[in-house]
């Protein structure tokens, strides 16, 4: 939605095909890092999101098996914090902006295929009809994209056994509403507590993340929920108040993970963005942030271009995104390897990274840049791009 909003505001004629009818999305909360907040500023909805979400000033990672702890405080700057937000809140703000951006939104319509030539591009729809011609087609149909192969067949998709359970609940008593808490028990057990704002009753809310593979979830669902909840509360007493709120396994949502790497993100007048183009390990917390950065960079590249200039504009987009996205692709694979490795290696490497290694000034600066979403990014150029998009008005 983000790139459609920006292109519509620039005066381009935009058509959005949404395979689902408009609805309020369910699911886990998300952490919008400073790079994502930059994008929301360009979209003009930053103040709304900050008012609906929870301001996150620091991240605390604790390993209960070794007593190792790592704390990161966001540095001073334009955005000296992150924002924890519920998906329905972000979706609602983006949807409202989209309806005001002069875009033609076709809900409940699925694009089955893309046909392109040197002149224009046509879409084949699920009802057998076609739509077009279009000067540029932006593929953003998620990690399980059915259309990205039209951009390039050189796509690597690696599905992971590991996943997570998530649930929206009250913020556990004793947990800080301005802190993302990550509790690890060795290398293969993890719980996260992400504050996501205040509900209509004035109660602080949070999303709990519980690291579980698909096979572990299936085994759990065959067992006794109350017994599982009791064991979990004994392991993590600080979460007891929130765990007591849960009534059954049906309150939990399971998320499976996959890594996506494309050799290139564009071809002729086709371009792939977001999770369809690059899906990362969720421990990085970068999925939504990189998708927002894609939208800002692509809107800037397409600003003031003619149809004949689209291929060059997409090449400019790729050049601007290459370093940052490849950096996080590498980090994602390393994180997945450490998390899924068996035995002492993964646990030891994680303790070194969050313990001694994080105390070295050079290492810590790199960690801060990575957490904020600025790793591999020319921050000054990025801020100029945000300002260009923010200042853009109708030009056609």
């Amino acid at each position: 939605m983000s790139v459609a909003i920006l292109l519509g505001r620039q005066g381009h004629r935009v058509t959005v095909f949404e395979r689902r009818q408009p609805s309020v999305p369910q699911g886990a909360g998300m952490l919008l890092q400073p790079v994502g907040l930059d994008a929301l500023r360009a979209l003009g909805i930053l103040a709304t999101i900050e008012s609906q979400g929870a301001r996150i000033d620091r991240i605390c990672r604790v390993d209960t098996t070794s007593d190792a702890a790592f704390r990161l405080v966001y540095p001073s700057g334009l955005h000296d914090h992150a924002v924890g937000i519920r998906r329905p809140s972000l979706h609602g703000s983006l949807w409202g902006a989209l309806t005001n951006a002069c875009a033609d939104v076709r809900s409940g319509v699925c694009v089955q295929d893309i046909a392109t030539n040197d002149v224009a591009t046509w879409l084949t729809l699920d009802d057998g009809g076609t739509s077009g011609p279009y000067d540029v087609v932006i593929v953003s149909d998620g990690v399980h994209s059915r259309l990205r192969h039209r951009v390039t067949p050189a796509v690597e998709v690696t599905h992971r056994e590991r996943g997570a359970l998530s649930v929206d609940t009250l913020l556990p008593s004793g947990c800080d509403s301005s802190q993302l808490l990550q509790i690890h028990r060795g290398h293969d057990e993890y719980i996260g507590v992400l504050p996501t704002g205040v509900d209509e009753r004035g109660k602080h809310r949070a999303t709990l993340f519980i690291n579980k593979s698909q096979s572990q979830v299936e085994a759990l669902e065959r067992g006794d929920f109350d017994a599982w909840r009791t064991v979990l509360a004994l392991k993590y007493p600080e979460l007891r108040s929130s765990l007591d709120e849960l009534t059954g396994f049906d309150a939990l949502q399971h998320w499976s993970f996959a890594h996506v790497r494309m050799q290139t993100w564009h071809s002729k007048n086709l371009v792939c963005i977001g999770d369809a183009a690059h899906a990362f390990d969720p421990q990085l917390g970068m999925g939504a942030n990189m998708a927002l950065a894609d939208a800002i960079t692509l809107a800037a590249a397409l600003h003031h271009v003619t149809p004949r200039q689209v291929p060059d504009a997409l090449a400019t987009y790729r050049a601007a995104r290459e370093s940052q996205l490849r950096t996080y692709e590498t980090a994602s694979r390393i994180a997945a390897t450490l998390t899924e490795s068996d035995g002492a290696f993964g646990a030891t490497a994680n303790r070194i990274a969050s313990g001694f290694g994080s105390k070295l000034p050079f290492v810590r600066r790199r960690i801060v840049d990575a957490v904020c979403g600025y790793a591999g990014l020319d921050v000054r150029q990025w801020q100029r791009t945000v300002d260009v998009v923010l200042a853009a008005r109708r030009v056609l």
Side-chain angles (χ1 to χ4, degrees):
M1 284 191 285
S2 301
V3 71
I5 294 167
L6 296 170
L7 293 177
R9 288 176 181 173
Q10 291 175 6
H12 298 289
R13 288 180 307 222
V14 179
T15 303
V16 178
F17 293 91
E18 175 55 61
R19 64 175 175 265
R20 297 184 182 89
Q21 294 291 345
S23 61
V24 178
Q26 303 299 313
M30 62 180 67
L31 186 62
L32 297 172
Q33 299 286 8
V35 72
L37 301 184
D38 290 335
L40 295 179
R41 180 168 66 91
L43 284 160
I45 60 173
L46 176 59
T48 299
I49 295 301
E50 290 191 318
S51 68
Q52 294 177 349
R55 177 188 170 108
I56 304 299
D57 293 316
R58 57 195 171 276
I59 297 173
C60 180
R61 184 185 189 278
V62 177
D63 189 330
T64 60
T65 62
S66 65
D67 294 326
F70 168 68
R71 291 177 175 82
L72 181 145
V73 178
Y74 285 91
S76 59
L78 179 62
H79 300 301
D80 56 357
H81 61 283
V83 173
I85 190 78
R86 296 175 63 241
R87 289 178 185 270
S89 299
L90 179 61
H91 179 273
S93 296
L94 289 172
W95 188 262
L98 180 62
T99 57
N100 294 324
C102 300
D104 177 15
V105 181
R106 303 184 188 181
S107 299
V109 178
C110 182
V111 178
Q112 297 285 4
D113 203 358
I114 304 172
T116 187
N117 55 37
D118 292 334
V119 178
T121 299
W122 294 80
L123 307 180
T124 302
L125 308 181
D126 56 353
D127 61 2
T130 60
S131 182
Y134 296 103
D135 298 321
V136 60
V137 171
I138 302 168
V139 176
S140 57
D141 55 344
V143 64
H144 302 296
S145 173
R146 296 184 297 176
L147 300 172
R148 62 182 162 225
H149 70 282
R150 289 302 184 189
V151 176
T152 176
V155 181
E156 299 176 23
V157 181
T158 306
H159 296 279
R160 299 291 181 181
E161 166 66 11
R162 183 177 55 85
L165 295 170
S166 69
V167 62
D168 175 59
T169 182
L170 290 172
L171 181 70
S173 57
C175 285
D176 192 329
S177 63
S178 63
Q179 174 179 274
L180 167 61
L181 176 62
Q182 300 174 333
I183 308 172
H184 292 252
R185 293 177 66 88
H187 75 287
D188 60 351
E189 188 169 325
Y190 158 85
I191 284 187
V193 183
L194 173 64
T196 55
V198 179
D199 63 19
E200 62 278 0
R201 300 172 298 166
K203 302 289 187 179
H204 287 279
R205 307 293 298 183
T207 293
L208 300 186
F209 298 93
I210 306 170
N211 186 37
K212 292 292 178 185
S213 67
Q214 180 63 48
S215 58
Q216 288 174 325
V217 170
E218 292 170 356
L220 279 176
E221 291 175 342
R222 293 192 296 268
D224 180 83
F225 174 78
D226 289 333
W228 172 76
R229 183 176 58 179
T230 299
V231 170
L232 204 61
L234 290 173
K235 287 184 177 180
Y236 305 99
E238 58 268 71
L239 306 183
R240 182 181 294 276
S241 62
S242 293
L243 294 173
D244 288 344
E245 187 183 347
L246 306 183
T247 57
F249 286 119
D250 56 351
L252 305 171
Q253 183 170 3
H254 181 251
W255 298 82
S256 59
F257 305 148
H259 293 280
V260 175
R261 188 185 192 281
M262 299 180 68
Q263 188 176 72
T264 182
W265 302 298
H266 73 95
S267 175
K268 295 183 179 178
N269 59 348
L270 305 181
V271 62
C272 199
I273 66 173
D275 281 350
H278 44 75
F280 307 124
D281 189 288
Q283 286 196 78
L284 300 182
M286 283 296 141
N289 294 284
M290 292 299 103
L292 287 166
D294 286 351
I296 298 302
T297 309
L298 183 56
L302 292 173
H303 191 35
H304 286 309
V305 304
T306 66
R308 291 182 178 274
Q309 295 171 325
V310 166
D312 289 338
L314 297 184
T316 299
Y317 163 78
R318 177 186 175 179
R321 299 296 294 135
E322 186 86 29
S323 177
Q324 184 186 36
L325 291 177
R326 298 308 185 198
T327 297
Y328 282 101
E329 283 176 351
T330 300
S332 177
R333 291 188 179 277
I334 292 173
T337 299
L338 291 178
T339 302
E340 295 182 355
S341 61
D342 295 324
F345 173 74
T348 301
N350 271 310
R351 282 196 293 270
I352 292 173
S354 62
F356 173 73
S358 66
K359 294 178 173 61
L360 299 173
F362 173 77
V363 174
R364 192 172 183 87
R365 283 196 300 271
R366 290 298 183 94
I367 292 174
V368 170
D369 285 344
V371 168
C372 290
Y374 294 139
L377 189 64
D378 182 335
V379 177
R380 290 185 180 180
Q381 180 59 47
W382 163 246
Q383 294 296 343
R384 285 194 292 268
T385 300
V386 170
D387 291 338
V388 166
V389 173
L390 184 62
R393 296 291 185 267
R394 290 185 173 275
V395 297
L396 300 180

